[in-house]
């Protein structure tokens, strides 16, 4: 069932969603969000970015709503009933002093360990996209770039919602009504305590506009999809979380008593994999790169004297190194990869960037 769902999700779900759909990239999603938020630093007009948090996303989904939604999308009724059996038939028991007692069924929500749940949750979130598209079409909500095609009023990655709009009073009330209707039908309620709205510096009456929406104001930068979302290019202080994460991973590994070769392989696979996503999403300052490389080198030499320099370690084995890649090389590879995806086109990010900056010009 999961393989069948995977095949049809591409055509069912709008490009505003990037999670759990083959061929869509979280890095492109993050890049588009950063590109739009950078407009906050430019003069002219009021701009707002709303980061919405859903309360207990998976476990509160209304199953009856999901059934009606799938039928409305054109799923065969027999298929819908099979899906319903998968999510309603499991039973649960409670361990009391190590012994299971009783069995009971759940009456709402999706199980997070069920491989079918991500696809079903994505379908539920598509209803939010439908509500947003209708309000944009009726001009009750004005997106930041209403003259750039494709029009992007919001971005969704799993349960992370980012709405980008011109914060008129009417638009904020409409967004509040959308979240109320979406929560009433789908069961996914807005968590006002964790949601935030971020305004451009030229936006007036920020407190009143936030009050209409029902969430508190926040200050950029803020973490979105694991990387800092900033008005300007990321600074060294914005990337402390990357350095801290690398340090925590290294401290956990040191207790394992790994060999020299094992430490090399951990640095090669884990640290490089983490930084690749960051390099694809934002431009990391050189000072942050040096700090991460210093952490990796100290881990390899166990905090003692370095027998050879980091640059020598990163040479090919034929030249006396161990075949590691410098993070500068990883950054170049990430840039080339994203350039290729941009030239290839077809994604929301590539089409938006082309129409925003290139238009009829060739990359």
């Amino acid at each position: 069932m999961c393989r069948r769902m995977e095949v049809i999700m591409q055509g069912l779900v709008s490009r505003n969603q990037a999670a759990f759909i083959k061929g869509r990239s979280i890095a492109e999603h993050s890049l588009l969000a950063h590109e739009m938020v950078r407009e906050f630093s430019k003069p002219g007009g009021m701009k707002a970015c709303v980061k919405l948090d859903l309360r207990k996303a998976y476990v509160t989904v209304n199953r009856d709503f999901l059934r009606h939604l799938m039928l409305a999308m054109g799923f065969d009724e027999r298929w819908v009933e099979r899906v319903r059996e998968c999510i309603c038939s499991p039973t649960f028991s409670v361990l009391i002093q190590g012994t299971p007692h009783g069995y009971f069924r759940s009456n709402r929500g999706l199980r997070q360990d069920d491989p079918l749940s991500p696809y079903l949750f994505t379908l539920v979130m598509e209803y939010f996209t439908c509500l947003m598209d209708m309000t944009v079409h009726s001009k009750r909500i004005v997106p930041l770039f209403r003259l750039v095609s494709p029009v992007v009023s919001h971005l969704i990655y799993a349960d992370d919602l980012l709405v980008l709009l011109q914060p008129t009073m009417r638009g904020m009330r409409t967004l509040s009504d959308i979240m109320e209707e979406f929560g009433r039908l789908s069961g996914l309620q807005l968590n006002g305590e964790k949601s935030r709205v971020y305004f451009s510096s030229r936006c007036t009456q920020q407190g009143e506009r936030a009050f209409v929406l029902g969430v508190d104001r926040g200050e950029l930068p803020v973490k979105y999809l694991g990387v800092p979302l900033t008005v300007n290019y990321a600074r060294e202080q914005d990337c402390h979380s990357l350095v801290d994460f690398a340090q925590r991973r290294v401290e956990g590994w040191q207790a394992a008593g790994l060999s020299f070769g094992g430490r090399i392989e951990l640095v090669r696979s884990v640290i490089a994999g983490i930084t690749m996503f960051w390099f694809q999403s934002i431009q990391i300052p050189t000072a942050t790169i040096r700090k991460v490389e210093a952490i990796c080198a100290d881990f390899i030499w166990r905090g003692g004297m370095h027998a050879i320099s980091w640059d020598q370690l990163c040479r090919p084995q034929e030249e006396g190194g161990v075949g590691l890649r410098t993070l500068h090389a990883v950054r170049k590879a990430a840039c080339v990869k994203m350039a290729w995806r941009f030239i290839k086109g077809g994604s929301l990010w590539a089409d938006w960037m082309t129409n925003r900056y290139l238009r009829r010009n060739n990359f």
Side-chain angles (χ1 to χ4, degrees):
M1 292 181 70
C2 292
R3 288 196 293 267
R4 292 185 179 183
M5 288 289 291
E6 181 182 2
V7 172
I8 63 175
M9 290 297 288
Q10 184 81 27
L12 278 177
V13 178
S14 64
R15 295 191 296 176
N16 297 74
Q17 293 201 66
F20 313 123
I21 300 176
K22 187 176 181 179
R24 301 186 186 180
S25 168
I26 183 176
E28 292 184 359
H29 209 68
S30 179
L31 273 173
L32 182 54
H34 282 79
E35 194 63 37
M36 299 184 76
V37 168
R38 287 196 185 102
E39 292 294 320
F40 282 33
S41 62
K42 298 181 180 180
M46 298 187 299
K47 308 174 184 70
C49 166
V50 187
K51 191 173 183 291
L52 300 173
D53 183 81
L54 300 177
R55 183 179 287 109
K56 298 181 180 179
Y58 270 72
V59 299
T60 60
V61 171
N62 187 326
R63 294 174 178 176
D64 291 331
F65 171 78
L66 176 60
R67 178 180 181 277
H68 291 298
L69 181 65
M70 293 183 68
L71 291 173
M73 286 183 168
F75 284 91
D76 187 86
E77 188 171 357
R78 291 173 297 177
W79 178 264
V80 175
E81 290 304 319
R82 289 179 182 177
V83 171
R84 187 176 178 85
E85 284 294 319
C86 289
I87 62 178
C88 295
S89 59
T91 58
F92 304 88
S93 62
V94 179
L95 287 178
I96 301 177
Q97 296 182 351
T99 304
H101 291 269
Y103 290 91
F104 58 92
R105 297 179 183 270
S106 61
N107 56 13
R108 67 172 184 176
L110 303 172
R111 291 181 298 142
Q112 294 192 13
D113 57 347
D114 186 350
L116 196 60
S117 293
Y119 300 114
L120 301 179
F121 186 81
T122 301
L123 295 180
V124 173
M125 295 304 299
E126 187 64 15
Y127 182 67
F128 179 83
T129 295
C130 294
L131 294 176
M132 286 294 299
D133 289 345
M134 287 190 294
T135 54
V136 169
H137 183 72
S138 62
K139 299 182 180 179
R140 288 183 291 164
I141 286 181
V142 182
L144 287 185
F145 300 90
R146 54 189 177 89
L147 300 180
V148 179
S149 178
V151 175
V152 180
S153 60
H154 65 286
L155 297 170
I156 304 175
Y157 193 88
D159 58 345
D160 286 321
L161 282 76
L162 196 70
V163 181
L164 302 119
L165 74 164
Q166 297 179 20
T168 62
M169 289 296 187
R170 184 188 183 188
M172 302 303 264
R173 281 193 295 267
T174 302
L175 180 57
S176 178
D177 294 340
I178 287 176
M179 291 307 302
E180 184 178 351
E181 179 182 353
F182 180 68
R184 178 174 55 84
L185 294 175
S186 67
L188 300 175
Q189 300 290 335
L190 175 67
N191 188 346
E193 296 179 356
K194 294 185 178 180
S195 300
R196 293 291 184 271
V197 56
Y198 307 93
F199 295 99
S200 61
S201 58
R202 296 180 180 272
C203 184
T204 59
Q205 299 177 317
Q206 297 183 10
E208 296 180 15
R209 300 176 195 277
F211 179 77
V212 170
L213 184 57
V215 301
D216 295 332
R217 285 181 294 171
E219 296 293 336
L220 294 172
V222 63
K223 184 173 287 189
Y224 177 67
L225 299 182
V227 296
L229 184 64
T230 62
V231 174
N232 301 308
Y233 289 103
R235 300 167 297 178
E236 182 182 354
Q237 55 265 37
D238 298 328
C239 299
H240 282 326
S241 58
L242 175 60
V243 178
D244 293 341
F245 184 80
Q247 187 67 49
R248 288 196 304 270
R249 295 301 296 267
V250 164
E251 290 173 354
W253 295 336
Q254 286 178 342
L258 298 169
S259 64
F260 180 79
R263 296 194 296 274
I264 291 292
E265 288 304 316
L266 277 175
V267 169
R268 189 198 315 275
S269 60
V270 180
I271 296 295
I274 296 167
T275 54
M276 174 61 78
F277 168 65
W278 277 68
F279 284 136
Q280 291 178 8
S281 302
I282 61 174
Q283 183 175 352
I284 301 179
T286 302
T288 301
I289 294 177
R290 290 173 180 168
K291 288 182 178 180
V292 175
E293 287 183 338
I295 290 172
C296 295
D298 286 341
F299 169 68
I300 290 175
W301 300 110
R302 291 184 174 179
M305 185 183 68
H306 297 191
I308 57 177
S309 68
W310 174 257
D311 290 335
Q312 290 177 312
L313 275 176
C314 294
R315 291 178 180 176
Q317 294 182 357
E318 297 79 8
E319 299 178 11
V322 296
L324 291 175
R325 290 192 299 172
T326 65
L327 294 186
H328 291 281
V330 175
R331 179 168 62 179
K332 290 181 181 180
C335 292
V336 172
K337 178 180 179 180
M338 298 313 294
W340 168 248
R341 293 183 70 94
F342 179 78
I343 295 171
K344 185 179 178 181
S347 66
L348 181 64
W349 165 72
D351 291 348
W352 190 90
M353 292 287 288
T354 299
N355 292 323
R356 177 76 172 91
Y357 296 108
L358 295 184
R359 296 180 184 176
R360 297 182 180 180
N361 297 324
N362 189 285
F363 176 74

